[in-house]
Amino acid sequence: MKTFYGRANPTTGALDWVEESEEYDYHQEIARSCYADMLHDHDRNKKYYEGIRAAVTRVKARGEKVIVLDIGTGTGLLSMMAVTAGADFCYAVEVFKPMAEAAQCIVEKNGFSDKIKIINKHSTDVTVGPDGDMQVKANVLITELFDTELIGEGALPSYEHAHQNLMQDRCEAVPHRATVYAQLVESELLWSWAQLQPVEVEGARLVPPPAVGRCAGAHAVCDIQLSQVSPASFTPLGPVCTMFTVDFSKPVSSAFQAHSSQFVAQSSGRAQVVLSWWDLDMDPSGSIVCTMAPSWTYQEPKMAPWRDHWMQSVYFLPVESQVTEGEELSLMVCHDDYSLWYSLQRGSQTEAPPSRPCCTCQAHLVWTRPRFGELNDRRRTESYISALRSVLREDSVCLSVSDGSLLPVFAHMLGAKKVPSINLLSQRAFYAHMNAKEAEMCRVMLASPVQISVLMGEPYFSTSLLPWHSLFFWYCRTALAGLLRPNASILPRAASLHMVAVEFQDLWRIRAPCGTCEGFDVTPMDEMVQRSLDFHESREAEPHPLWEYPCRALTQSTAAMTFDFTQCLPQQPISTQGSLSFIREGRCHGVALWMEYHLTDDITVSAGLTGPINEQGDCEWSRHRKQGVYFFGSPWEISGDGRAAVSYSFTFEPSLGDIRMDFTVTSQ
């Protein structure tokens, strides 16, 4: 059965009613999941397997039957490991129905149906007893309930309930223990993601309002691939501190807790940011360790395992403060049942734990952390100021079309006569459907007795997911045509969609089938994911911040499409096609896509590559915007002799606000 869904179109600004299968959300959830990433994480799998074997051995040594409870079983992999290690029976709990069904298929395919029971419930709803989901309580608890912040997926409440209701006393747990680490650093790069910095415009210093500077910011963790943040980008002010440990083999509390670690500052600087990660000890002795530490903590960084399901965390202190080398400091971490936050204290004095920080200035509710970084990018800001300077006149009336942009402020400081602006965060649809009468109302609302001489945008819109969603600017420009002077300047004048075929160092794992994992056949999961990809997602690109995911360019980059903002939106589709020869040897996993904005004839701002590709094909990507990635169904082995090419076709449908794309690899 099909159902009509109302969906906000990020490109047109309209509310589209589309007919989709009632299973659309279900398939999208599966297609966008990263189950494959976890199964490709050999280090994780190996450590879990070793920990499970050790736990089963300890219980058997006590003369007990081994009854396992596996919470969040996913594919059933850990339960199959437990049975193979000698467990007598496993109760495998999985709340997500499609995954539970896949786990059932996998368990049957591997011949474990008589030893593993799949329970499609949340663990807190599981019952124990003759008529319950579990006949008896378990004595081995296996879980994989963790996220980058360790507790963000509700691990503590789940453990708390399991120990109270589902586990025997003196049970074993895999993992046995988790330890959270943190390091205080100064980092201009990372701090630029948290607070708006002053800007120089025509010799005047533009300073953020005091309310913004005093604001503690958003409380949510910033999870990133910290291995891709060079140690040259920050200065450690103290050692890596052990903040707290959770023993999962004993009753766990989800109540508020605070922990402190004292240390002596090893450098002078501004205390701004806390870098954090955690380890899992799979056994009580701590001899089987799975660590999330970034690669630069390793003696050989290339030996660090890659994983995307668990990364590292960046926390921003409520205020930056100066510390002096040799000063006694105390780093405090607080946590409730789902999140952590940090604060810095001086000396040995003990202060009351701070409450969880929250935004009071509204800016952190409007701007994401990458958006803060974008607004603080001096080189990018100078590009926009230079472009504005080239088009502004004393009588200029400027209108800004972007979400939460500083362009109106820059235009005012550069001498524009009037700079009206509409907050598109709440009025996107207003522009998209403006007729002549509504345009006149807009003129009154903008209090502008003359027509607009400069229409400007970055463009940036908070609802954009893929690079070309920023073409909403073109729709706004078209709707505002009646308000523009005949010789009005449009900034940017145009945008171009760029592409390059790439080999990913690691990101390919999130879309690669697993087949066999640690000796177990998990193809039913591969088939489930592929069905969902084929349902819709495999024909689309997906957004990824490529600065976190290294890749090599196997072709040159090219501008595949250009959009002329000086003209109104065309009525007919725009199509283009071509091909790019492979010039480097490698395994091609797909195509990277991004937008570049041509502010003037000689000033361009890229939301993708920030510099030329080097001879080895290494790419440097913007940290501010996500790029699009179109994954091939399977990788292509490329010789790099120029005889193979990737052919492409793009079609932009103005009525739909979408870009249809297709790629094929051909050889001569």
Side-chain angles (χ1 to χ4, degrees):
M1 188 176 81
K2 292 193 174 183
T3 306
F4 278 104
Y5 286 82
R7 189 176 302 152
N9 188 315
T11 308
T12 66
L15 179 64
D16 293 340
W17 288 94
V18 294
E19 186 183 41
E20 292 282 10
S21 166
E22 62 182 0
E23 297 180 337
Y24 174 77
D25 288 338
Y26 151 88
H27 284 294
Q28 190 175 52
E29 177 71 17
I30 295 171
R32 287 289 187 252
S33 69
C34 289
Y35 291 113
D37 167 39
M38 290 185 281
L39 296 179
H40 282 297
D41 187 348
H42 176 67
D43 178 73
R44 160 195 177 271
N45 300 338
K46 176 185 175 184
K47 301 296 175 54
Y48 260 100
Y49 212 165
E50 291 175 358
I52 289 169
R53 289 194 191 100
V56 169
T57 299
R58 291 194 299 274
V59 174
K60 283 186 172 294
R62 300 199 295 258
E64 302 174 17
K65 281 191 172 183
V66 180
I67 308 299
V68 173
L69 173 60
D70 176 8
I71 300 178
T73 193
T75 60
L77 175 66
L78 302 185
S79 288
M80 293 189 293
M81 288 179 175
V83 172
T84 304
D88 294 282
F89 199 82
C90 290
Y91 295 101
V93 180
E94 175 57 50
V95 68
F96 187 39
K97 185 177 179 180
M99 201 67 244
E101 292 172 348
Q104 186 66 55
C105 292
I106 291 170
V107 166
E108 293 174 0
K109 192 175 185 70
N110 288 274
F112 293 109
S113 297
D114 59 332
K115 291 290 187 77
I116 299 175
K117 178 183 179 181
I118 305 296
I119 303 172
N120 181 208
K121 286 185 175 181
H122 194 286
S123 65
T124 56
D125 295 326
V126 171
T127 57
V128 180
D131 299 322
D133 302 304
M134 299 170 60
Q135 295 295 300
V136 297
K137 290 186 176 182
N139 53 13
V140 175
L141 177 58
I142 301 174
T143 62
E144 208 280 48
L145 299 172
F146 314 114
D147 69 345
T148 293
E149 202 173 14
L150 182 67
I151 64 173
E153 291 186 359
L156 295 182
S158 296
Y159 271 110
E160 187 174 42
H161 175 271
H163 277 289
Q164 292 173 355
N165 300 279
L166 308 176
M167 302 304 300
Q168 301 175 22
D169 295 337
R170 295 181 62 242
C171 71
E172 301 288 341
V174 182
H176 178 83
R177 178 174 50 241
T179 304
V180 174
Y181 302 93
Q183 185 173 35
L184 180 68
V185 304
E186 174 185 356
S187 174
E188 181 179 354
L189 169 65
L190 298 177
W191 189 244
S192 73
W193 298 351
Q195 294 291 344
L196 198 60
Q197 305 300 313
V199 180
E200 297 286 340
V201 182
E202 298 292 270
R205 187 174 174 82
L206 178 62
V207 180
V212 176
R214 292 194 301 265
C215 181
H219 73 272
V221 64
C222 177
D223 53 340
I224 62 172
Q225 291 284 356
L226 201 53
S227 296
Q228 299 307 314
V229 177
S230 168
S233 299
F234 60 86
T235 301
L237 302 180
V240 175
C241 300
T242 301
M243 298 309 301
F244 67 93
T245 296
V246 182
D247 186 337
F248 297 125
S249 69
K250 299 176 181 178
V252 172
S253 173
S254 61
F256 171 89
Q257 293 185 33
H259 309 271
S260 294
S261 181
Q262 284 74 41
F263 63 94
V264 175
Q266 63 186 42
S267 300
S268 296
R270 294 171 295 162
Q272 300 169 323
V273 176
V274 175
L275 310 181
S276 182
W277 57 89
W278 44 268
D279 288 351
L280 295 176
D281 289 331
M282 296 298 183
D283 66 326
S285 68
S287 60
I288 308 169
V289 181
C290 185
T291 179
M292 307 310 123
S295 62
W296 36 258
T297 64
Y298 285 67
Q299 287 188 343
E300 296 184 36
K302 291 185 178 180
M303 298 301 294
W306 183 87
R307 45 178 69 97
D308 204 44
H309 53 104
W310 296 331
M311 295 187 281
Q312 295 79 35
S313 301
V314 174
Y315 298 90
F316 303 98
L317 294 178
V319 294
E320 67 173 335
S321 58
Q322 187 70 30
V323 301
T324 305
E325 182 178 356
E327 184 179 1
E328 293 186 2
L329 301 171
S330 176
L331 189 62
M332 176 179 286
V333 61
C334 302
H335 73 79
D336 51 22
D337 48 350
Y338 281 92
S339 59
L340 284 70
W341 59 96
Y342 284 82
S343 62
L344 184 66
Q345 299 179 355
R346 306 282 176 163
S348 58
Q349 59 186 9
T350 302
E351 300 178 9
S355 58
R356 184 168 62 181
C358 63
C359 175
T360 56
C361 71
Q362 308 305 312
H364 299 87
L365 305 180
V366 175
W367 295 326
T368 63
R369 292 194 173 100
R371 176 62 170 161
F372 267 97
E374 188 170 58
L375 294 172
N376 286 325
D377 186 330
R378 296 186 184 93
R379 180 181 299 179
R380 178 180 180 276
T381 295
E382 184 53 41
S383 293
Y384 281 94
I385 291 174
S386 296
L388 279 172
R389 190 184 293 118
S390 70
V391 299
L392 288 179
R393 304 293 180 266
E394 290 183 359
D395 62 346
S396 291
V397 177
C398 306
L399 176 62
S400 175
V401 179
S402 276
D403 286 347
S405 178
L406 298 180
L407 291 184
V409 181
F410 297 158
H412 172 74
M413 297 181 71
L414 290 169
K417 182 179 179 181
K418 288 188 177 181
V419 192
S421 181
I422 291 180
N423 181 2
L424 297 180
L425 290 170
S426 60
Q427 303 198 41
R428 292 169 59 82
F430 173 82
Y431 275 107
H433 298 289
M434 200 184 303
N435 57 34
K437 183 177 180 180
E438 291 167 332
E440 182 62 29
M441 293 172 59
C442 176
R443 185 195 304 244
V444 174
M445 183 171 66
L446 295 173
S448 177
V450 295
Q451 291 187 308
I452 303 300
S453 53
V454 178
L455 179 65
M456 56 188 179
E458 301 185 36
Y460 170 83
F461 304 107
S462 60
T463 52
S464 295
L465 297 176
L466 290 163
W468 44 91
H469 289 167
S470 61
L471 291 176
F472 179 62
F473 178 81
W474 206 2
Y475 289 80
C476 296
R477 177 260 180 272
T478 302
L480 289 164
L483 289 176
L484 302 178
R485 292 179 182 176
N487 61 344
S489 297
I490 311 296
L491 191 156
R493 295 178 53 82
S496 50
L497 175 63
H498 291 245
M499 61 166 282
V500 64
V502 296
E503 174 188 55
F504 285 109
Q505 181 175 302
D506 295 296
L507 188 62
W508 60 269
R509 301 173 195 271
I510 70 171
R511 291 289 169 264
C514 296
T516 299
C517 180
E518 307 304 321
F520 302 99
D521 187 344
V522 294
T523 53
M525 188 214 67
D526 293 337
E527 293 165 357
M528 177 189 70
V529 172
Q530 190 58 52
R531 282 194 301 272
S532 292
L533 285 169
D534 291 342
F535 183 80
H536 200 273
E537 301 294 324
S538 64
R539 301 188 299 275
E540 296 182 350
E542 53 190 79
H544 290 284
L546 292 186
W547 72 269
E548 295 186 58
Y549 305 107
C551 63
R552 290 176 58 242
L554 301 182
T555 66
Q556 294 179 339
S557 64
T558 189
M561 298 190 82
T562 299
F563 311 96
D564 185 357
F565 296 157
T566 64
Q567 303 297 316
C568 287
L569 192 73
Q571 298 296 313
Q572 301 301 316
I574 304 173
S575 297
T576 187
Q577 60 185 15
S579 66
L580 281 174
S581 296
F582 287 100
I583 58 175
R584 296 181 184 89
E585 181 181 359
R587 173 173 286 191
C588 185
H589 297 110
V591 173
L593 303 140
W594 69 97
M595 297 290 281
E596 295 190 0
Y597 303 104
H598 309 290
L599 307 186
T600 64
D601 291 338
D602 56 356
I603 301 177
T604 294
V605 172
S606 174
L609 287 176
T610 57
I613 300 169
N614 69 16
E615 291 184 6
Q616 291 72 40
D618 298 328
C619 305
E620 292 186 12
W621 299 96
S622 168
R623 299 176 186 267
H624 310 320
R625 305 274 181 109
K626 291 183 178 181
Q627 292 73 41
V629 177
Y630 187 104
F631 284 104
F632 294 152
S634 57
W636 290 85
E637 297 292 343
I638 304 300
S639 63
D641 57 8
R643 290 186 293 179
V646 55
S647 299
Y648 60 86
S649 65
F650 294 91
T651 299
F652 172 57
E653 297 274 3
S655 61
L656 301 177
D658 195 19
I659 295 181
R660 290 186 288 107
M661 59 189 70
D662 188 50
F663 303 93
T664 56
V665 174
T666 58
S667 58
Q668 299 175 354

